[in-house]
């Protein structure tokens, strides 16, 4: 198993001081930043585009930027986010007419390519693209909003995906996004996840370092 990664979702950060919040959470021990891009079309919410990614880079953020596209379509934004400094780009298979092409486009730009699976999306869509993905992101809430409750039945899906990844012998991260907190992170890890996206649990706490340290302790205790 690879080292665990904790990726705070900036969706719950203070947008009026995004650079400071991003810096603070990295200094508090986060491995990377998760950027939720919503288009008021694929999901019923609207956030930001590549300019924010570029602004974070210009501000001096060096950490990996994990862009989660909740947009339809995806290809043009893949190129724009890659040019704006993204290191990881994940999209939803329902949002691309040509999933293999979109995954290849992400890698062509030198980024890690991810597929995000909604709670009701089956693992079948991975069957012919396991060699094209670096991350499979399991949504443990329906995409669109921070602060939702983790859907418990997703644990079974994580277990099934862990088997698929191990059987493939490929270097693929199993990420989980939505409702992750200190009190369920170990359970999610035990089901097979190795990358954890958390927004409200981190940014709605006054002490980012305390939460991230607590999450790592929970992961270490198992
Ligand atoms: C939901 C986003 C998540 C969200 C997680 O559509 O993809 O990244 O910000 O937020 P929490 O951790 O609050 O559920
Ligand atoms: Zn996300």
């Amino acid at each position: 198993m690879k080292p665990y990664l904790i990726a705070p979702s900036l969706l719950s950060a203070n947008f009026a001081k995004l650079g400071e919040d991003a810096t603070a959470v990295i200094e508090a021990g986060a491995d990377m930043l998760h950027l939720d891009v919503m288009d008021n079309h694929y999901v019923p919410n609207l956030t930001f585009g590549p300019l924010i990614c570029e602004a974070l880079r210009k501000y001096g953020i060096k950490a990996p930027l994990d862009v989660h596209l909740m947009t339809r379509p995806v290809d043009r934004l893949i190129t724009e986010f890659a040019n704006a400094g993204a290191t990881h780009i994940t999209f939803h298979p329902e949002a691309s007419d040509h999933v293999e092409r979109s995954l290849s486009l992400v890698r062509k730009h030198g980024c890690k390519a991810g597929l995000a699976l909604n709670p009701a999306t089956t693992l079948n869509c991975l069957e012919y693209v396991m060699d094209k993905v670096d991350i499979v992101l399991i949504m443990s809430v329906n995409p669109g909003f921070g602060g939702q409750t983790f859907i418990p039945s997703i644990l079974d899906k994580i277990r099934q995906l862990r088997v698929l990844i191990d059987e493939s012998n490929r270097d693929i991260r199993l990420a989980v996004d939505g409702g992750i907190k200190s009190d369920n992170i170990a359970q999610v890890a035990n089901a097979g996840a190795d990358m954890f996206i958390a927004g409200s649990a981190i940014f709605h706490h006054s002490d980012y370092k305390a939460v991230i340290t607590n999450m790592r302790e929970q992961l270490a205790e198992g």
Side-chain angles (χ1 to χ4, degrees), residues 64-138:
L65 297 180
D66 175 38
V67 171
H68 176 189
L69 293 179
M70 286 161 275
T71 68
R72 185 192 290 130
V74 298
D75 288 1
R76 190 170 52 84
L77 286 173
I78 286 171
T79 298
E80 290 189 12
F81 271 98
N83 291 339
T87 52
H88 300 59
I89 302 180
T90 294
F91 64 90
H92 290 250
E94 300 86 354
S96 170
D97 287 332
H98 307 284
V99 170
E100 196 276 343
R101 176 185 286 158
S102 301
L103 288 169
S104 297
L105 181 62
V106 176
R107 281 189 172 171
K108 196 181 112 193
H109 286 296
C111 297
K112 300 275 187 201
L115 266 191
L117 308 190
N118 286 332
T121 302
T122 71
L123 299 174
N124 297 346
C125 60
L126 297 169
E127 186 171 0
Y128 299 107
V129 290
M130 284 298 267
D131 58 329
K132 300 280 173 14
V133 294
D134 302 296
I135 305 166
V136 180
L137 184 151
I138 295 290

Side-chain angles (χ1 to χ4, degrees), residues 9 34-36 68 70 137 139 177 197:
S9 162
H34 182 85
L35 279 70
D36 286 305
H68 176 189
M70 286 161 275
L137 184 151
M139 292 301 302
D177 188 4
I197 321 302

Side-chain angles (χ1 to χ4, degrees), residues 172-187:
I172 299 173
R173 281 276 174 192
L174 198 170
V176 179
D177 188 4
I180 300 281
K181 320 243 170 260
S182 299
D183 61 10
N184 65 7
I185 197 167
Q187 203 182 11

Side-chain angles (χ1 to χ4, degrees), residues 8 10 20-33 202-203 208 212:
L10 292 180
E20 286 169 52
D21 249 6
T23 305
V25 85
I26 292 297
E27 284 175 356
D31 295 293
M32 61 216 298
L33 299 170
I202 295 174
F203 285 107
Y208 303 160
I212 294 172

